[in-house]
Amino acid sequence: MVVGKSIKRIDAFDKVTGRTKYTDDLCDKSAYIAKVLHSTITHGKVLSIDVSEAEKIEGVIKIVTCFDVPKVYFPTAGHPWSTDESHQDVADRLLLTDVVRFYGDDIAAVVAENEVAAQQALRAIKVEYEEYPFVLDVEEAMSDSAPLIHKNYPNNILGHSSQSVGNYEEAIKEEGLIKFDNWYDTPTVQHCHIENHICYASMENGRLTVVTSTQIPHIVRRVVGQALSLDWGKIRVVKPYIGGGFGNKQDVLYEPLCAYLSTVVGGRLVKLDSSREETFVSQRVRHAIRSHIVTYTRPDGTFVARKLELFSNQGAYASHGHSIAAKGMGCFRQLYPCPNVEAECYTVFTNRPVAGAMRGYGIPQAMFAVESQIDDIAKGLNLSPLEIRKKNLMPVGYKDEFSKNVNYFDTFNQCIEKGKKYIDYDRKIEEYKNQSGNIRKGIGMAVFWYNTAVWPISLESSSSRMVLNQDGSISVQLGETEIGQGADTAFAQMAADAVGLTLDKVNVVSCQDTDVTPFGTGAYASRQTYVGGLTIKQTGEMLKMRILDYAGKLSGIDAAELDIVDNNIITVSDKKFVMDVAKLAITALYSMEDSRHITAESTYQIKSNAYSFGCCFADVEVDIRACKVKINDIINVHDCGTLINPALAEAQVHGGMSMGIGYALSEQEIFDSRTGRTLNNNLLDYKLSTFMDHPHLEAQFVENAEPTSAFGTKALGEPPACPVAPAIRNAVLNATGVAVNKIPMTPHVLFEEFSKSGLI
Amino acid sequence: MAQYKLVRCTINGKKVEQMVDVRASLTDMLRNDYRMTSVKKGCEVGECGACNVLIDGECFNSCIYLAVWAEGKHIRTLEGLMSEDGELSDIQQAFIDEAAVQCGFCTPGVIMSAVEILESGRDYTDDELRKLLSGHLCRCTGYENILRAVRKTLDKRLGKV
């Protein structure tokens, strides 16, 4: 058995020797280079584009403007398609647009023989605009006087939904209730995968091939088909190794444009490689969300009634749209079940860069608001933050009526206990009381809610194929993608156990090619180990049955009496060796009497989206005069079920914690209120955490095997990023007594907050 | 109009020469002319460290180092680290053993910085190591296992374990 062992990554050798091939490494040098011309206004109309000077530049092959492309609107979200029109993603993108909706919108494209010519051509294109007023803020965008960004969306509201439990208005009439009424703000941040998005396209035998750095190859095929009005089968999408995605590449980015550009130059090879600056502005960002939470409690900390209003800044186009806010809202009534809840959320268009999926999908935003308020309530009632959580958190046995998810285990308490012990919570809470002076220490924590995959929004399904090779090894293919998280290694481990082979006998085909890879929707919603595990188990058992069937024929022993253990076929009852799988495989392929090519392929459907919970504890030191927070110690504890590979699980948690630390303290895109331009579209001015901004990152686990899962596993990809920012914020509250309701807690923000509260 | 110049240098121990566009970066030259694709492009303005290589023993972001400046220099990239018979160097093995690799895109650059650190023959505190490695951005690992891989290799080389 290899599930549960810290196997070394199967792709590590190639990655440490530099031979792993990413998209750019595979592209032939002969490729034409495509570059996109981005708008230099924030809202308006392109009146004319003069390409005459640009066309004269040597090496320029073709210039396409917004006036040349087909007026076919398409959606970009990396969601499974819905055949029900009312559930389809909003189709609001064109390959190039004459209506500019944010500073950096795509209005023209150049194809040239080389990069220098393409860049020179971009500079030589003259654009005439008609400018409209623009709006960057959600509340302003919702006002009647705001400029309308998309017709058919009055007050710029893309989506609005609500939930209600009990009777809030009645409940708050109870005598003696204490009211907490707070607003919380989270910023626009970017994924910052180190490989920028890149793709290349060409035509072969009348079909289009697009090679792209994506998390979702099968979805890219569908959207390229929709955008170019081509039959989907005429498109082949290939996904090589990718340098990170984190949700930005769970959107269709420049694949349709690149494919289109190839078609206008006779199907020649065209490469579209995005710059870091374009990645920050013209692709996707995390939704900035403003949350308003009102909680009525009894003096003992029992929640009586709660209300949430959530405002999500969508930016200029719908992308993943309202799903993010809706997910954030959905967890509100579940995490702290309360008899009377009213919640509503709005997703609102503004003239900012487009927000899409990003690790956590609305939950990091929701957790910042929800978990910050829990500490504010605890402080107000003079209760311990742990006590008030234990009193109100989702109990064991809780069942969500929408998803039918069940909280099977006492995960929260188990995780909290581990976190407490590691960080030495009780002692430090005492030690940090009554501090004075400039440097003050604090300890804080937050829990988080998450679930695995997207059921019941769509039926989760995943397919896999296994082929028995001559040497008794198997090749395994899935539509689910390796994006750096270690999916291929986990798949290999699960496949080995499902069939009864040792790990060296499993070859995972890493690259997805929609011409040959089984259908799968890809890396998102922390779904792959869960849904992939289910199909791997099913297909593995089918393959095993076929192997044993043939073994039965060869050995004369009833196949039901046989099993495969460590590459050997043995008898079930007395564990006697019958033959090895390699012998069987070569016999089966080259038999003169009964030649069989033993393969298996199946689709598994999953109607569940298992809860995956945990917490973060942070121990910080605040330099009040410098308005700086230093993290001295931090731990995340997760219950993601059974660990498939503990070392990789830990590594996954580290990365999420790092992203959470950046979210708490330093990361944000800044927009110029006068021009609408993104001011810090680069890795120098956008403050991603560096080696120097972290202490040791501790990752621990509670392993309650998930009953709905093939290997007991559930979500871990996104959860680590969810609880970190509120834990750090609550530690700052503990240190200083100041409730900071806005992240990132930069010195600018802290200076304002500390000044207001009289600390400085 | 493009101007070309002959650039002679040593790449991973091998003497090479090539006519190079005077505007090209060393990243472009290594990737396009010599197919050293371990040299990654993450920002092309010296912010992320993915294109880091050793030039005469010292780390540089090759994206902001002109190819023509490489004249007469000894350049080392990740491709040169594994021995001829396929044996990994200790630092490469440590990256595998410590699960310090995820998407792998920042990995080549970070390993080359680690090589510079290890070859200095000096010992460093963890804080010093963090500072020496801070020119590399990584979104996957939180730097935790990378630091551990470098620490362990350094301790081994210095005979501390």
Side-chain angles (χ1 to χ4, degrees):
Chain A
M1 299 288 278
V2 282
V3 162
K5 295 203 175 115
S6 290
I7 304 297
K8 312 272 184 265
R9 283 181 73 109
I10 60 174
D11 53 3
F13 186 95
D14 279 19
K15 286 179 174 174
V16 302
T17 50
R19 19 171 110 137
T20 301
K21 295 282 183 274
Y22 301 80
T23 301
D24 193 39
D25 307 332
L26 293 165
C27 187
D28 193 83
K29 275 172 68 176
S30 67
Y32 284 158
I33 303 299
K35 293 265 170 209
V36 181
L37 182 70
H38 300 287
S39 70
T40 53
I41 64 162
T42 299
H43 195 197
K45 194 163 171 47
V46 179
L47 297 178
S48 68
I49 298 184
D50 176 1
V51 299
S52 55
E53 289 302 312
E55 278 175 340
K56 288 180 199 154
I57 291 165
E58 194 186 320
V60 171
I61 305 293
K62 182 98 184 167
I63 299 174
V64 176
T65 75
C66 52
F67 303 113
D68 304 323
V69 297
K71 272 266 184 286
V72 176
Y73 290 89
F74 56 93
T76 64
H79 289 149
W81 186 235
S82 175
T83 50
D84 171 359
E85 215 172 307
S86 65
H87 283 127
Q88 289 171 358
D89 289 310
V90 175
D92 63 356
R93 298 303 295 260
L94 292 168
L95 293 167
L96 298 164
T97 181
D98 61 330
V99 179
V100 171
R101 294 187 175 90
F102 70 102
Y103 195 108
D105 214 339
D106 309 330
I107 57 172
V110 174
V111 179
E113 281 174 0
N114 58 65
E115 192 152 339
V116 176
Q119 289 284 14
Q120 286 174 338
L122 287 187
R123 281 198 292 271
I125 296 173
K126 294 182 194 80
V127 185
E128 202 188 345
Y129 298 102
E130 180 190 344
E131 282 199 64
Y132 306 153
F134 65 84
V135 60
L136 302 175
D137 178 78
V138 164
E139 274 153 319
E140 285 171 31
M142 289 170 80
S143 76
D144 290 337
S145 58
L148 200 60
I149 298 168
H150 291 269
K151 57 180 181 191
N152 304 331
Y153 292 95
N155 296 91
N156 293 310
I157 296 169
L158 165 64
H160 171 234
S161 51
S162 58
Q163 290 178 337
S164 176
V165 180
N167 190 333
Y168 177 88
E169 292 304 331
E170 272 306 306
I172 63 174
K173 291 178 185 160
E174 181 180 319
E175 289 264 329
L177 293 181
I178 300 149
K179 180 183 178 186
F180 293 87
D181 185 331
N182 310 90
W183 288 82
Y184 301 93
D185 269 297
T186 65
T188 297
V189 294
Q190 221 273 335
H191 315 69
C192 299
H193 35 74
I194 304 300
E195 180 202 32
N196 291 309
H197 182 256
I198 175 168
C199 56
Y200 60 85
S202 61
M203 293 191 77
E204 223 174 288
N205 299 324
R207 297 175 74 226
L208 255 172
T209 299
V210 183
V211 179
T212 178
S213 176
T214 185
Q215 300 171 219
I216 47 165
H218 279 94
I219 292 175
V220 170
R221 171 162 77 166
R222 184 252 300 170
V223 176
V224 171
Q226 291 172 327
L228 272 61
S229 305
L230 283 175
D231 291 340
W232 301 357
K234 292 275 186 206
I235 297 148
R236 174 184 170 212
V237 173
V238 178
K239 176 240 159 234
Y241 283 100
I242 83 169
F246 309 107
N248 190 36
K249 297 174 187 171
Q250 192 212 334
D251 225 295
V252 177
L253 298 168
Y254 284 123
E255 293 94 341
L257 179 61
C258 186
Y260 174 76
L261 293 174
S262 174
T263 67
V264 299
V265 294
R268 289 185 178 84
L269 181 63
V270 174
K271 178 168 86 172
L272 205 167
D273 186 2
S274 300
S275 68
R276 179 58 61 184
E277 291 74 14
E278 288 175 299
T279 301
F280 272 109
V281 176
S282 303
Q283 295 181 2
R284 303 294 177 268
V285 295
R286 191 192 285 288
H287 291 77
I289 294 183
R290 213 164 179 229
S291 307
H292 178 209
I293 309 182
V294 182
T295 301
Y296 285 87
T297 86
R298 300 202 178 103
D300 69 352
T302 308
F303 295 168
V304 173
R306 302 189 83 197
K307 190 175 194 168
L308 167 76
E309 287 177 294
L310 191 152
F311 301 91
S312 180
N313 194 323
Q314 179 54 50
Y317 293 96
S319 177
H320 282 250
H322 194 54
S323 315
I324 280 96
K327 181 154 183 164
M329 179 180 75
C331 75
F332 182 70
R333 68 181 165 80
Q334 297 182 36
L335 184 57
Y336 295 95
C338 164
N340 305 289
V341 176
E342 260 179 28
E344 65 178 331
C345 60
Y346 294 88
T347 299
V348 183
F349 285 121
T350 66
N351 296 108
R352 285 209 208 176
V354 182
M358 184 170 167
R359 194 181 203 164
Y361 212 78
I363 303 303
Q365 296 96 319
M367 289 304 106
F368 178 70
V370 169
E371 287 299 280
S372 293
Q373 205 204 27
I374 297 294
D375 270 46
D376 292 344
I377 295 169
K379 187 164 184 281
L381 298 177
N382 204 20
L383 291 171
S384 136
L386 295 187
E387 209 180 310
I388 193 156
R389 282 186 174 81
K390 287 189 177 185
K391 201 178 191 67
N392 293 288
L393 266 171
M394 180 193 286
V396 178
Y398 175 92
K399 185 175 177 187
D400 175 47
E401 284 311 317
F402 178 59
S403 63
K404 310 293 179 210
N405 274 350
V406 179
N407 185 20
Y408 297 104
F409 306 102
D410 196 16
T411 292
F412 280 119
N413 285 316
Q414 292 166 342
C415 290
I416 289 170
E417 280 311 309
K418 274 205 161 182
K420 251 178 85 174
K421 192 169 166 214
Y422 170 81
I423 211 107
D424 200 4
Y425 186 84
D426 293 334
R427 189 183 65 78
K428 283 183 181 161
I429 279 283
E430 283 307 310
E431 187 190 321
Y432 298 165
K433 275 181 181 165
N434 309 316
Q435 293 175 86
S436 55
N438 184 47
I439 306 286
R440 294 184 204 173
K441 290 180 175 178
I443 193 156
M445 66 86 61
V447 301
F448 71 89
W449 174 103
Y450 206 77
N451 56 9
T452 317
V454 300
W455 169 262
I457 306 294
S458 106
L459 173 60
E460 274 289 355
S461 67
S462 181
S463 300
S464 59
R465 178 186 303 140
M466 296 185 191
V467 175
L468 182 67
N469 302 314
Q470 289 94 326
D471 60 349
S473 68
I474 58 168
S475 297
V476 181
Q477 281 183 296
L478 279 92
E480 319 312 344
T481 55
E482 169 65 60
I483 65 165
Q485 78 284 53
D488 284 349
T489 306
F491 296 153
Q493 289 178 257
M494 297 190 291
D497 281 5
V499 183
L501 304 176
T502 52
L503 195 72
D504 59 309
K505 292 287 185 188
V506 179
N507 313 314
V508 172
V509 181
S510 184
C511 170
Q512 275 74 23
D513 175 336
T514 55
D515 269 8
V516 291
T517 307
F519 185 82
T521 45
Y524 58 85
S526 305
R527 64 190 279 281
Q528 295 196 132
T529 314
Y530 183 66
V531 301
L534 289 157
T535 175
I536 285 171
K537 189 166 187 208
Q538 180 173 273
T539 305
E541 283 170 358
M542 280 169 68
L543 186 80
K544 187 176 184 169
M545 263 172 50
R546 285 170 196 174
I547 294 170
L548 294 180
D549 183 54
Y550 201 78
K553 186 183 136 80
L554 291 180
S555 65
I557 304 170
D558 183 1
E561 283 302 307
L562 297 172
D563 194 9
I564 306 174
V565 175
D566 289 346
N567 316 324
N568 292 321
I569 296 160
I570 59 164
T571 55
V572 175
S573 48
D574 52 5
K575 314 282 173 214
K576 254 178 63 188
F577 175 80
V578 177
M579 70 179 72
D580 63 28
V581 177
K583 174 98 190 298
L584 177 137
I586 202 158
T587 308
L589 269 167
Y590 301 114
S591 168
M592 294 291 281
E593 294 92 39
D594 182 8
S595 169
R596 295 189 201 175
H597 300 178
I598 299 178
T599 65
E601 179 164 353
S602 76
T603 302
Y604 196 98
Q605 299 179 357
I606 309 104
K607 290 183 176 172
S608 162
N609 73 350
Y611 283 137
S612 185
F613 299 147
C615 64
C616 174
F617 281 78
D619 183 358
V620 308
E621 186 175 296
V622 184
D623 181 330
I624 292 169
R625 278 199 296 272
C627 298
K628 278 181 92 169
V629 178
K630 182 176 166 232
I631 304 167
N632 284 330
D633 205 355
I634 188 161
I635 177 176
N636 264 29
V637 188
H638 292 264
D639 180 0
C640 56
T642 307
L643 297 177
I644 304 300
N645 185 319
L648 296 193
E650 229 180 84
Q652 185 73 7
V653 175
H654 296 151
M657 291 173 77
S658 171
M659 199 177 266
I661 290 171
Y663 198 44
L665 296 177
S666 61
E667 291 182 40
Q668 62 181 327
E669 286 198 9
I670 299 167
F671 307 101
D672 184 351
S673 59
R674 291 171 300 122
T675 63
R677 195 165 68 91
T678 306
L679 293 173
N680 56 341
N681 60 353
N682 58 72
L683 291 166
L684 191 63
D685 298 317
Y686 179 94
K687 299 297 181 188
L688 196 64
S689 299
T690 73
F691 269 94
M692 297 178 72
D693 300 306
H694 292 166
H696 159 68
L697 305 173
E698 178 75 9
Q700 291 188 13
F701 299 91
V702 167
E703 289 187 71
N704 290 312
E706 167 60 31
T708 63
S709 172
F711 294 89
T713 184
K714 52 187 178 176
L716 185 66
E718 295 162 276
C722 297
V724 177
I728 294 170
R729 178 267 187 198
N730 289 340
V732 172
L733 171 66
N734 179 245
T736 63
V738 179
V740 184
N741 293 348
K742 187 176 169 185
I743 46 174
M745 292 180 286
T746 59
H748 302 81
V749 169
L750 292 180
F751 177 75
E752 209 173 289
E753 294 297 323
F754 291 169
S755 303
K756 264 197 284 184
S757 60
L759 270 187
I760 45 176
Chain B
M1 281 298 289
Q3 290 178 25
Y4 290 87
K5 204 175 163 187
L6 185 69
V7 176
R8 284 157 302 195
C9 59
T10 307
I11 301 178
N12 297 327
K14 191 178 154 197
K15 283 191 173 161
V16 293
E17 56 178 62
Q18 186 88 37
M19 292 300 285
V20 170
D21 188 327
V22 294
R23 301 165 299 186
S25 69
L26 181 58
T27 304
D28 290 336
M29 183 181 92
L30 290 170
R31 284 185 62 83
N32 300 337
D33 298 332
Y34 296 103
R35 300 310 281 163
M36 297 287 161
T37 53
S38 79
V39 183
K40 297 300 183 205
K41 298 190 292 181
C43 68
E44 296 191 80
V45 285
E47 292 160 355
C48 76
C51 64
N52 172 50
V53 299
L54 285 167
I55 302 173
D56 288 348
E58 202 182 331
C59 281
F60 285 89
N61 285 323
S62 64
C63 69
I64 49 171
Y65 189 99
L66 282 176
V68 292
W69 296 344
E71 174 67 26
K73 304 279 198 238
H74 286 258
I75 296 157
R76 287 165 70 196
T77 70
L78 182 61
E79 281 88 347
L81 217 53
M82 186 172 72
S83 76
E84 283 298 328
D85 59 5
E87 196 185 333
L88 292 181
S89 65
D90 54 358
I91 185 67
Q92 288 170 303
Q93 190 60 51
F95 267 63
I96 297 176
D97 294 343
E98 300 302 325
V101 178
Q102 290 194 34
C103 83
F105 208 78
C106 73
T107 307
V110 190
I111 291 183
M112 295 317 286
S113 274
V115 167
E116 186 189 32
I117 292 166
L118 294 165
E119 289 182 354
S120 74
R122 282 187 45 197
D123 196 5
Y124 298 95
T125 64
D126 280 0
D127 281 348
E128 286 169 330
L129 284 182
R130 284 184 183 278
K131 191 165 185 183
L132 288 167
L133 291 165
S134 64
H136 296 280
L137 295 174
C138 171
R139 195 55 141 170
C140 299
T141 66
Y143 311 107
E144 179 75 18
N145 292 351
I146 296 178
L147 184 72
R148 197 158 63 194
V150 177
R151 173 87 265 159
K152 284 196 174 174
T153 311
L154 183 61
D155 287 351
K156 270 192 201 156
R157 283 212 191 174
L158 295 172
K160 288 164 76 177
V161 282

